[in-house]
Amino acid sequence: QSGLIEKYRFENFVVGKANELVYKVCLQVGQYPGVSYNPLFIYGSVGLGKTHLLHAIGNKAMEYGYRALYSPVSDFSEEMIAYLKKGQIDTFRNKYSNVDVLLLDDVQFLSGKERTQIELFKIFEAMYTRDKQIVLVSDRHPKDLKDISDRLISRFESGLVIEIGLDDETKLSIIKQKMILYGMPLDQKLINYVFENTGYNVREIEGAIKTLKVVGMKNTSKEKNTKDIKFVVEFTARHFKLKPEDLKRESKERRIINARQIAMYLCKVVLNASYVEISRYFGKKDHTSAIYAVKKVEEKIKEDRKFKYMLTFLEKQLKKELL
Ligand code: ADP
Ligand code: MG
């Protein structure tokens, strides 16, 4: 009946610079509702943990023996209309004002809903005069809310208005926490991948990790590697005044074999591509062809100083172009 989701707790909320203050305030409100910050208004963009914290407050308050009620504003509004139609609007008012902690999510959706605003204002007044806690969450600051009555906005602003954010350090901690949660190894490569392929949005981060768990790193990075391998082949061909296709076709020509082996070697040392990937790109079924090529080039580097200089130059040049 409380509408609370139990898994959203303070204990599994990762805290960092950008959300530390709001976390502390919420914890305080959960333990001592109606005392210090009333109403509490939290705002910030999507996926930053606003809903999570709202439930955490409710769960904490329940733990401390208070009655809490969570509701997204869209549900609140629909329910109000239903009660209104049944001619039982008093029941609705009582339901919402007779709790110790009222948690309203996504209040930006009050926009344009006049009757809902009127009812909320009444509930607000009834609760506030009895020191009952009200917590509101929105995607924007009260001042930026549209089509909401001035008296309601001024109530929203009358307590503490606080923003929630996310910074790189916290994002990194969240990625690690979620990877552990999903039973994945804390591989630096995986962590970096998730970090670089997500924005400041924890929902997006969770999505990326889930995908990674199902699809695996190999597939996720395949496209990138294939693109880079293609680049290395074109680069090598250009250096030896050949066409990229030349390097991929069967040939007994010395300079073509030589260039292909060097291209494979560069894919290995510069891209750290797997032997399977490299061989496949060159149309070889057997991955040992790439192993063989890399070994050949390594041998030649040891024996031939001029060859070694050339390869050092190629490696440097390639890295520059890959940036
Ligand atoms: P919002 O309401 O701000 O759009 P949510 O609270 O729905 O965001 O958060 C999206 C998801 O990210 C949820 O699964 C939530 O548990 C998780 N999440 C957000 N912030 C954190 C955090 N700091 N630590 C752990 N999980 C988080
Ligand atoms: Mg939310």
Side-chain angles (χ1 to χ4, degrees), residues 51-79:
T51 298
H52 187 129
L53 281 176
L54 214 44
H55 284 284
I57 292 173
N59 288 320
K60 181 60 75 183
M62 299 277 273
E63 213 179 286
Y64 276 63
Y66 296 101
R67 277 198 302 156
L69 182 54
Y70 167 89
S71 180
V73 152
S74 46
D75 292 1
F76 176 84
S77 184
E78 274 179 31
E79 212 183 327

Side-chain angles (χ1 to χ4, degrees), residues 25-39:
V25 167
C26 288
L27 186 58
Q28 172 89 6
V29 166
Q31 291 171 329
Y32 311 105
V35 177
S36 25
Y37 312 102
N38 197 22

